[in-house]
Amino acid sequence: MIIVHHLNNSRSQRILWLLEELGLPYEIKRYQRDPKTNLAPPELKAINALGKSPVIEDGDLKLIESAAIIDYLIRRHGQGRLQPDPTTAAYDQYVQWLHFAEGSAMLPLMLNLYVGRLGEAGAPLHPRIESEVANYLGYLNEALGKTPYLLGDELSGADIQMSFIGEVAKAQGKLPTYPNLAAWVQRFQARPAYRKAVEQGGEYAFAR
Ligand SMILES: N[C@@H](CCC(=O)N[C@@H](CS)C(=O)NCC(=O)O)C(=O)O
């Protein structure tokens, strides 16, 4: 049985969503953020020394990075679903989106969050952060201009990995400027498997 170490309001929600899309059985081990610091509880360090989620266990295997988890679950358990044929050029785009989420797009959004907490002290950094946020969200909005999902008409693991970017952008009030991005978030959040995963995962402020 696949075990998901799941933190409320976190990136592990997308792993639950993937498992629901694939219809795979799984067990959730739950961790609750500290209400003051928003940090994960120390118990998570016992399973991942970084103290971060998501983490999955599948037999003897443990993985601690979202894109690797998504790639693994689809490759090992997907039976060809949710990824393009690995011999096609679409697959190369798929892998690029898997990396793009945490390797590129997330950084300006995280900087926005952290520097925002500095109040006036962070003001000199905001123009640069805002221009980088606009750079990445604009790129994503453009990519979503022709097809309902990142790789075409069908949902893939790339959408699931990138979903947290769309949701954090929404939480930061960015979506009115990016209509394709806003429509994509609305589209994937309406999927039955997404709704089911939110029910299973519990508190997830980004589903609103
Ligand atoms: N790049 C990692 C990021 C993991 C990560 O930062 N997870 C956050 C949740 S969204 C976390 O566990 N934060 C709790 C903490 O830092 O205490 C991934 O995508 O899996």
Side-chain angles (χ1 to χ4, degrees):
M1 172 80 83
I2 295 161
I3 300 171
V4 183
H5 295 267
H6 173 60
L7 180 67
N8 62 308
N9 289 326
S10 87
R11 288 163 169 94
S12 50
Q13 187 61 45
R14 61 188 167 189
I15 306 303
L16 303 183
W17 175 27
L18 171 60
L19 288 162
E20 291 294 339
E21 290 283 352
L22 291 173
L24 294 172
Y26 62 93
E27 182 191 330
I28 301 178
K29 296 222 164 130
R30 296 173 192 279
Y31 302 81
Q32 202 67 19
R33 288 183 186 271
D34 182 297
K36 282 204 184 100
T37 63
N38 211 33
L39 293 175
E43 300 90 87
L44 195 49
K45 287 208 167 138
I47 193 76
N48 171 8
L50 297 169
K52 308 276 180 196
S53 98
V55 179
I56 66 152
E57 292 178 273
D58 189 11
D60 292 338
L61 177 76
K62 186 197 288 183
L63 292 172
I64 59 127
E65 183 68 36
S66 302
I69 293 171
I70 288 174
D71 166 53
Y72 168 78
L73 289 174
I74 292 176
R75 200 164 25 83
R76 281 296 159 84
H77 298 288
Q79 295 174 319
R81 291 169 296 162
L82 295 182
Q83 71 171 30
D85 174 346
T87 62
T88 63
Y91 187 82
D92 302 324
Q93 298 302 318
Y94 166 76
V95 172
Q96 182 163 269
W97 283 119
L98 288 185
H99 286 273
F100 183 84
E102 296 290 328
S104 290
M106 203 60 200
L107 178 64
L109 293 169
M110 291 304 283
L111 284 173
N112 201 27
L113 178 74
Y114 289 141
V115 175
R117 289 183 188 154
L118 294 173
E120 269 309 297
L125 290 167
H126 275 298
R128 182 62 198 273
I129 292 171
E130 284 301 334
S131 90
E132 280 301 288
V133 168
N135 193 16
Y136 283 96
L137 296 186
Y139 182 82
L140 184 52
N141 189 61
E142 185 74 23
L144 288 162
K146 291 198 184 79
T147 54
Y149 293 105
L150 285 166
L151 297 177
D153 291 334
E154 303 296 330
L155 179 88
S156 75
D159 298 285
I160 296 176
Q161 172 66 355
M162 284 295 294
S163 64
F164 198 64
I165 305 302
E167 293 180 332
V168 171
K170 184 177 178 188
Q172 294 187 3
K174 305 292 184 203
L175 293 200
T177 332
Y178 304 105
N180 304 331
L181 181 48
W184 172 70
V185 171
Q186 199 174 28
R187 190 174 302 122
F188 72 65
Q189 289 190 335
R191 292 178 69 91
Y194 179 98
R195 304 307 320 165
K196 176 92 187 295
V198 171
E199 267 171 48
Q200 298 295 320
E203 188 189 358
Y204 189 60
F206 299 102
R208 289 179 207 129

